[in-house]
Amino acid sequence: MAFSLSPELVISSLVIILVLWYYLYMEHRRPKNRLHRPVDWPILGMVPSLVGNRHNLHDYVTGVLAASGHNFTAHGPATTGMRFFVTCDPANVRHIFTSNHANYPKGQEFAEIFDVMAGSFFTVDGEPCRRQRAKIQSVLGSPRMVASMASCCLGKVRDGLLPFLTRMAAAGTPFEMQDLITRFVFDVTAMPVFGVDPGRLSPDMPPMHVAAAMDTVMEVALFRHTVPASFWKAMRRFNLGPERKLAVAHTVLHSFIAEMMEKARKATQHHGGDNDAGEQQEAAASSNLRILSSYVNDPEYNANDDLLRATLINYMIAGRDTIGTTLPWFFYNLAMNPHVVAGIRQELAPIVASRKAATTSASNGDDTDTTVTTFEPEDTKPLVYLQAALYESLRLYPPGPVERKTVVAGDVMPSGDEVRAGDTVFISLYSMGRMEGLWGKDCLEYRPERWLSDDGGRKKLRYVPSNKFLAFNSGPRMCLGKDIAVMQMKTVAAAVMWNFDVEVVQGQAVEPKLSCILQMKNGLMVKVKKRGM
């Protein structure tokens, strides 16, 4: 069949190209520190503004929101019907996430954008969301499950992370911190989910194809967020551009889930075949502490392989992307602020002094024992300065920098802005943490003290409402794994900062990647030195 282009299509395409070229040319000539309101161009809408500022998209949106009173409305290309409302106003956030949350679901397009997790708790709304959240709450709310997850994390810190850092300190070798933390968190997330250690944090450091696939999901998702659905769906149909890369990532993720489920099955069969009744009971108890077991024994998931795979991928991405994204920024902030490191160590010192027997020996791989100190979750639970330092890093570098909602029925925001049915609402968490009106003139400074208040001579965490600090979501979708995530991050942070000095290698550009998660674009090269105790 012959394929031809109509004159009208050719002319309209040339107009779009010329307008876009002119805008990008003007952007190139414009002073880079000049932030301005986005222009709704004829035909193209806000697309040129996004393209022209893609190199610093989050900071660009932050500047626009600061200049426009924390809210602005923009449009997509003509004929697409795309209309966006962008906000970082806490009053609007409370309205969207709590007061009128039923009017602001994630929506069908959100589920399509994250199609590898379609049907799981990350993408659904309404009754399916409530039902799945109740399931998660029953799984993660079990004291035995929480204790098992704490044990997995502490064991991986003691036997994997600290020995690696000890070797790097002895050799004086720079290494990439973000990759190390990603590998560590990948194992710590997979172990409670499947009951099997993937071994990504091992001496030979195998390639992380699965982690790269997760990164691709989030990078292509941002692309899907910012273009008309018909555009990326056409690319998906013809397997072009980012959609081709995403298709490969989906295959990798599904293969990983199948591999881990098979390993979990074999591990159960191996223990179940033992003759000793006590070992069989122990294996059964261990199996029940796997998140996987809670789902394969549930008829709703057992009868729906797609839903089960999507849910397991959801657990892996949720665990890896939150903690794995936060900790590199946290260590970067500490390296840039030595006085905060001193404050954390001052808080840890009484624990070490009161239980010197709590040190363990970790092999550094060359038959030399190096004593390192680890901290139990109960040790770090009352450490408010350490938690304030983590929260301050989450304020400036939230793992999920943007939330997306869909408008069901027309509404008026507390700010007075109107939204229409079918509009897309973007909430910029990144911008919210950098608004002078919310956090003061020092809003761009890393200052954990802003999270603390004095209580009769003792420091305690200051209450900050979730509609102002949205790192753990808000309202009916509040993160159910918040306490577990904080516990794991404190376990890692305390051990690393007590035992090592972390120094950022000079000359590297540390900046966010263009993705739905706020990873570092170029990673983080560091050196570590063993502290003298």
Side-chain angles (χ1 to χ4, degrees):
M1 182 176 66
F3 179 77
S4 61
L5 294 173
S6 67
E8 293 83 1
L9 181 58
V10 172
I11 293 172
S12 61
S13 298
L14 287 173
V15 170
I16 291 173
I17 292 170
L18 286 172
V19 172
L20 184 57
W21 175 85
Y22 175 76
Y23 180 83
L24 293 178
Y25 173 75
M26 294 304 294
E27 280 297 308
H28 178 72
R29 295 174 61 87
R30 187 189 305 274
K32 293 302 179 184
N33 61 352
R34 179 182 170 186
L35 292 165
H36 56 284
R37 293 179 66 88
V39 177
D40 265 341
W41 288 82
I43 304 176
L44 295 178
M46 193 184 171
V47 170
S49 295
L50 295 176
V51 173
N53 292 280
R54 65 193 181 280
H55 59 286
N56 65 338
L57 184 61
H58 296 301
D59 287 316
Y60 170 72
V61 171
T62 299
V64 171
L65 284 167
S68 56
H70 298 180
N71 311 280
F72 69 87
T73 302
H75 299 80
T79 75
T80 64
M82 295 174 69
R83 189 172 184 268
F84 306 100
F85 176 67
V86 186
T87 184
C88 66
D89 184 333
N92 289 345
V93 170
R94 183 190 298 111
H95 183 76
I96 294 165
F97 284 78
T98 305
S99 307
N100 198 19
H101 69 91
N103 194 51
Y104 298 94
K106 292 192 172 185
Q108 180 59 33
E109 189 171 339
F110 182 93
E112 292 176 345
I113 287 172
F114 292 99
D115 48 3
V116 74
M117 294 179 279
S120 71
F121 54 88
F122 181 64
T123 64
V124 294
D125 295 300
E127 180 54 34
C129 178
R130 287 188 287 272
R131 187 172 65 252
Q132 292 197 37
R133 280 182 63 83
K135 176 76 174 179
I136 299 166
Q137 196 161 18
S138 70
V139 172
L140 299 185
S142 163
R144 294 186 64 210
M145 178 61 75
V146 173
S148 176
M149 296 176 79
S151 178
C152 284
C153 182
L154 183 60
K156 186 63 75 168
V157 167
R158 182 186 61 242
D159 302 327
L161 184 62
L162 295 183
F164 177 85
L165 295 177
T166 300
R167 291 195 298 273
M168 293 298 101
T173 306
F175 64 94
E176 212 275 90
M177 176 66 87
Q178 182 169 255
D179 178 67
L180 174 66
I181 294 299
T182 297
R183 290 171 178 276
F184 168 83
V185 176
F186 190 92
D187 284 354
V188 168
T189 302
M191 288 164 70
V193 172
F194 300 102
V196 178
D197 186 352
R200 263 49 178 187
L201 186 65
S202 63
D204 54 354
M205 301 290 275
M208 282 286 282
H209 299 306
V210 183
M214 292 180 180
D215 292 344
T216 296
V217 167
M218 292 301 171
E219 290 164 17
V220 178
L222 184 63
F223 170 76
R224 287 179 168 186
H225 275 306
T226 54
V227 300
S230 58
F231 183 73
W232 67 257
K233 287 180 179 179
M235 296 183 74
R236 180 178 64 181
R237 179 181 178 185
F238 294 106
N239 198 29
L240 299 173
E243 293 297 324
R244 173 182 292 182
K245 186 178 178 182
L246 183 63
V248 174
H250 283 193
T251 300
V252 170
L253 287 173
H254 286 136
S255 296
F256 168 76
I257 294 298
E259 175 193 346
M260 294 303 292
M261 290 179 68
E262 179 63 16
K263 286 183 177 180
R265 183 185 65 80
K266 287 181 177 179
T268 303
Q269 287 181 345
H270 173 74
H271 289 296
D274 292 337
N275 294 324
D276 186 87
E279 289 188 9
Q280 290 185 28
Q281 291 176 359
E282 184 180 347
S286 176
S287 174
N288 289 332
L289 287 177
R290 292 191 312 225
I291 291 173
L292 173 62
S293 300
S294 301
Y295 285 89
V296 295
N297 296 324
D298 186 319
E300 180 179 357
Y301 295 87
N302 195 22
N304 189 338
D305 287 342
D306 290 340
L307 178 59
L308 178 59
R309 285 196 300 268
T311 299
L312 295 173
I313 291 172
N314 200 156
Y315 268 107
M316 287 300 302
I317 289 179
R320 191 205 72 133
D321 286 354
T322 51
I323 301 173
T325 303
T326 299
L327 285 176
W329 286 113
F330 175 72
F331 290 129
Y332 169 73
N333 283 322
L334 293 188
M336 297 295 103
N337 295 273
H339 69 283
V340 178
V341 177
I344 292 172
R345 288 172 178 168
Q346 184 178 359
E347 200 172 40
L348 291 169
I351 300 173
V352 177
S354 65
R355 57 166 189 81
K356 291 184 178 180
T359 57
T360 60
S361 292
S363 172
N364 64 5
D366 60 0
D367 298 326
T368 301
D369 286 340
T370 302
T371 302
V372 292
T373 302
T374 57
F375 298 88
E376 301 279 348
E378 287 303 311
D379 294 329
T380 62
K381 190 173 183 179
L383 303 184
V384 294
Y385 190 76
L386 175 58
Q387 190 157 335
L390 283 165
Y391 279 9
E392 181 70 344
S393 204
L394 283 164
R395 176 183 73 87
L396 289 169
Y397 301 100
V402 178
E403 283 271 358
R404 174 186 174 134
K405 301 290 185 181
T406 299
V407 181
V408 175
D411 195 13
V412 179
M413 294 284 174
S415 61
D417 295 278
E418 294 185 10
V419 291
R420 306 170 188 167
D423 283 359
T424 299
V425 176
F426 286 110
I427 303 94
S428 176
L429 283 69
Y430 183 91
S431 301
M432 186 180 294
R434 294 159 185 269
M435 289 293 118
E436 184 176 319
L438 303 181
W439 299 97
K441 292 185 180 299
D442 61 352
C443 61
L444 299 182
E445 295 178 19
Y446 179 76
R447 194 172 67 83
E449 290 75 15
R450 77 176 76 247
W451 292 90
L452 301 173
S453 61
D454 188 79
D455 183 22
R458 295 183 59 187
K459 296 295 183 182
K460 70 174 184 178
L461 278 175
R462 187 188 304 275
Y463 169 72
V464 176
S466 60
N467 62 299
K468 179 181 175 181
F469 178 58
L470 201 56
F472 297 102
N473 218 302
S474 183
R477 282 190 178 268
M478 179 69 77
C479 176
L480 294 171
K482 172 186 175 181
D483 292 340
I484 294 174
V486 171
M487 174 268 292
Q488 291 177 329
M489 288 191 290
K490 291 173 85 171
T491 299
V492 175
V496 172
M497 299 318 300
W498 180 260
N499 291 286
F500 299 95
D501 292 318
V502 179
E503 175 188 344
V504 173
V505 175
Q506 297 299 309
Q508 59 183 313
V510 180
E511 58 188 21
K513 180 193 291 186
L514 199 58
S515 172
C516 282
I517 58 171
L518 204 70
Q519 290 179 318
M520 295 173 173
K521 179 180 178 180
N522 306 305
L524 181 67
M525 293 300 298
V526 302
K527 289 184 177 181
V528 293
K529 295 179 182 178
K530 189 73 173 66
R531 288 186 66 214
M533 302 297 178

